[in-house]
Amino acid sequence: DLFRSAERFDVTKGQFKTWLLMFTYHRAFNTLRHLRANRYYEAREIEESLPEFVAPFPSAEAAILIKQSLERIQPRQRRTIELVYYEGMTTEEISTLTGETVSVVRHNLYRGLEKLRLILGNAQKERI
């Protein structure tokens, strides 16, 4: 972004250092606003959602339901969820293992959890 915006710098309006500081300042706030608008920082842990979906099922049935639900999401998302919740790995460790960036790992985790909530919620509605 800085390289593409360098032509906007005007020597008559001030020093390059000041322009660079203001450019960086506004870019950081725009990025923060974008991330908040897309709910990047909002996440519910799967443990918070599971009791409301799984509680009415016997434990063996719940295990089958969760296994079937995991099979219905994308493989990368399933792998990420399994590594986090079954293997206890962090997103940084998964990133190193898979070669994906940390942000991609987080994306896979949060999207996969969102899809699991939807799938488990639909299963709960069908059961009632």
Side-chain angles (χ1 to χ4, degrees), residues 91-110:
T91 54
E92 290 80 12
E93 292 170 337
I94 296 169
S95 173
T96 304
L97 177 72
T98 61
E100 298 171 336
T101 64
V102 174
S103 61
V104 169
V105 172
R106 285 187 186 133
H107 174 80
N108 288 334
L109 176 64
Y110 295 135

Side-chain angles (χ1 to χ4, degrees), residues 6 17 23 28 30 49 55 59 61 87 109 114 118 123-124 126:
K17 182 170 66 172
F23 179 85
N30 288 341
S49 300
S59 61
E61 192 175 337
E87 303 295 327
L109 176 64
E114 183 179 328
L118 290 172
Q124 178 67 15
E126 291 172 6

Side-chain angles (χ1 to χ4, degrees), residues 43-57:
R44 285 177 50 192
E45 293 295 325
I46 194 165
E47 287 88 6
E48 295 174 11
S49 300
L50 282 180
E52 65 191 54
F53 297 122
V54 177
F57 297 104

Side-chain angles (χ1 to χ4, degrees), residues 3 6 10 13 27 37-38 43 45-46 49 54 64 67 69 74 80 83 85 112-113 119-121 125 127:
F3 180 74
D10 187 1
K13 292 183 180 180
R27 184 73 176 116
N38 289 316
E45 293 295 325
I46 194 165
S49 300
V54 177
I64 293 169
K67 183 179 178 184
S69 299
Q74 291 181 7
T80 303
L83 290 173
Y85 290 100
L113 291 174
I119 292 167
L120 290 171
K125 288 175 188 173
R127 182 155 164 62

